[in-house]
Amino acid sequence: MTFLRVAYIAVWVIQGSYLAILVRRYSRVRREMDELEGK
Amino acid sequence: MKGRRGRPTQSRSMSRTFIILALLTALLLIYAAYAALVLAPTELTMGPVQRIFYYHAPSAWTAFLLFFINFIASVQYLVRPNESADRFAKWAAVAIGIIACIAAFVVPLPAGIEPSSVATTGIVITAAYFLIRRYFSEQGTDILALVTAEVGVVFCTIVLITGPLWARPVWGIWWTWDVRLTSTLVLWLIYVSYLMLRRFSTSGETPKLAAALAVFGALDMPLVYFSIWFFRTQHPQPVIGGGGSIDPRMLRVFAINCLAFTCYAGIICWFRYRIERMQRDVEETRALEALLEPRGAASGGAQ
């Protein structure tokens, strides 16, 4: 049961971390676009 | 920025379709997890730990699908600038479909490989080639290759983590250097090196080098897939489409998880594709501004 729990948690930690990286990258690019539009 | 090719407005705002599909995918993933942990019957020999299968195998399927798209996109990125190479690749894609359909029913196949699977694979290769060609520009195929490799590596990482977590209580070992496991690790390393090449190389030829690496890297995929048929491996034979059998309820839960993971990968790829396009737009605009700036500064200085 421990292995099962660890496996399922690991999957969602990896997916969640990647998703968080993407969201951060998206907000950075949006900010850069806003800066360029403001010029 | 705003008026350039009319694209930024479209790419900046998260479209309603994307949000609806993302919500539906989230619901599907929740249901798939519930089905894997609660609805699926407990396997008699392995017990509850067998439920790792519902995440391990769909992740492997999704990683393969993404690396396959990466391969097609890389081939197209390499052949498109050359008209004769492009024409040759088009006919090769058609030939693969036709040969696979004929060979599936004429050539004797190893036990466990269904002729219909071979024919379907051939048709899918041809269809994917023409779909990507139809809907993606040359620049688009480069972005698609990058995105699918990145998301594919995430899913392949999950395969390599959930595999040993399943192996330890069942086989008594975390890892063994058999062909299936080793070739999967090599596949992961190839695509990690692909991403590192794209990230750290400053050469203008990086997309071409990366595409060439991806084409060679894809050669490992058939080895990973067919290794369990052609070599004696610790990894079990497939229970779906092979010689084994599976409880229909387990099969249904597996199919739900495959669908959920594929939809999730699709959504993530869409999001990542959009980010990459925006990033390239920003870089392009900055480069243009840098070109125009000295002239503006010079005229300002003359006044």
Side-chain angles (χ1 to χ4, degrees), chain B residues 92 94-105 107 118 122:
Chain B
V94 173
I96 287 169
I98 294 169
I99 291 168
C101 285
I102 296 169
F105 298 98
V107 179
V118 177

Side-chain angles (χ1 to χ4, degrees), chain A residues 1 3-4 6-8 11-12 14-15 18-19 22 25-26 28-30 32-34 36-37 39, chain B residues 1 12 14 36 48 51 55 150-151 155 158 161-162 165 174 264 268 272 275 278-279 282 289:
Chain A
M1 201 65 181
F3 287 100
L4 176 67
V6 171
Y8 273 61
V11 169
W12 288 110
I14 293 168
Q15 295 288 13
Y18 181 59
L19 202 57
L22 287 188
R25 211 182 280 180
Y26 177 75
R28 198 194 63 215
V29 178
R30 265 194 82 151
E32 284 175 357
M33 287 186 102
D34 287 341
L36 283 172
E37 275 177 11
K39 277 187 182 177
Chain B
M1 284 293 283
R12 275 202 58 198
M14 299 291 283
R51 291 176 196 274
Y55 270 22
E150 196 176 291
V151 182
F155 279 93
I158 288 171
I161 287 174
T162 53
L165 282 168
W174 293 100
Y264 179 66
I268 293 288
R272 178 68 185 89
I275 294 171
M278 286 163 72
Q279 182 67 53
V282 168
E289 278 182 351

Side-chain angles (χ1 to χ4, degrees), chain B residues 80-284:
Chain B
R80 273 205 198 174
N82 185 326
E83 205 179 308
S84 54
D86 187 32
R87 204 176 313 125
F88 174 78
K90 259 195 298 187
W91 284 110
V94 173
I96 287 169
I98 294 169
I99 291 168
C101 285
I102 296 169
F105 298 98
V106 175
V107 179
L109 299 168
I113 300 179
E114 298 290 330
S116 57
S117 318
V118 177
T120 311
T121 308
I123 293 167
V124 166
I125 290 173
T126 311
Y129 187 88
F130 285 98
L131 279 174
I132 291 172
R133 199 188 142 72
R134 170 81 180 78
Y135 291 105
F136 291 87
S137 62
E138 193 184 325
Q139 168 97 329
T141 54
D142 181 42
I143 301 176
L144 183 67
L146 169 67
V147 165
T148 46
E150 196 176 291
V151 182
V153 163
V154 173
F155 279 93
C156 200
T157 308
I158 288 171
V159 175
L160 289 170
I161 287 174
T162 53
L165 282 168
W166 187 9
R168 183 70 182 92
V170 176
W171 298 344
I173 46 168
W174 293 100
W175 183 268
T176 177
W177 294 100
D178 82 346
V179 185
R180 167 56 79 94
L181 275 69
T182 311
S183 55
T184 308
L185 179 64
V186 169
L187 187 72
W188 182 82
L189 287 170
I190 289 170
Y191 284 96
V192 168
S193 55
Y194 171 92
L195 293 177
M196 286 173 86
L197 172 70
R198 298 208 66 137
R199 175 72 183 81
F200 296 111
S201 170
T202 49
S203 158
E205 295 291 300
T206 303
K208 265 189 193 159
L209 289 170
L213 175 65
V215 171
F216 283 108
L219 294 176
D220 189 37
M221 277 199 287
L223 178 66
V224 177
Y225 188 73
F226 291 111
S227 57
I228 46 172
W229 273 286
F230 297 123
F231 300 95
R232 278 171 65 93
T233 61
Q234 179 84 20
H235 193 282
Q237 291 279 316
V239 287
I240 298 148
S245 60
I246 186 170
D247 185 298
R249 288 168 298 169
M250 287 180 170
L251 185 62
R252 208 166 29 244
V253 174
F254 170 72
I256 291 166
N257 273 280
C258 274
L259 178 69
F261 274 57
T262 309
C263 292
Y264 179 66
I267 287 289
I268 293 288
C269 284
W270 186 356
F271 187 37
R272 178 68 185 89
Y273 188 92
R274 184 174 280 192
I275 294 171
E276 189 61 27
R277 280 212 97 123
M278 286 163 72
Q279 182 67 53
R280 289 186 187 202
D281 274 350
V282 168
E283 280 165 14
E284 223 174 280

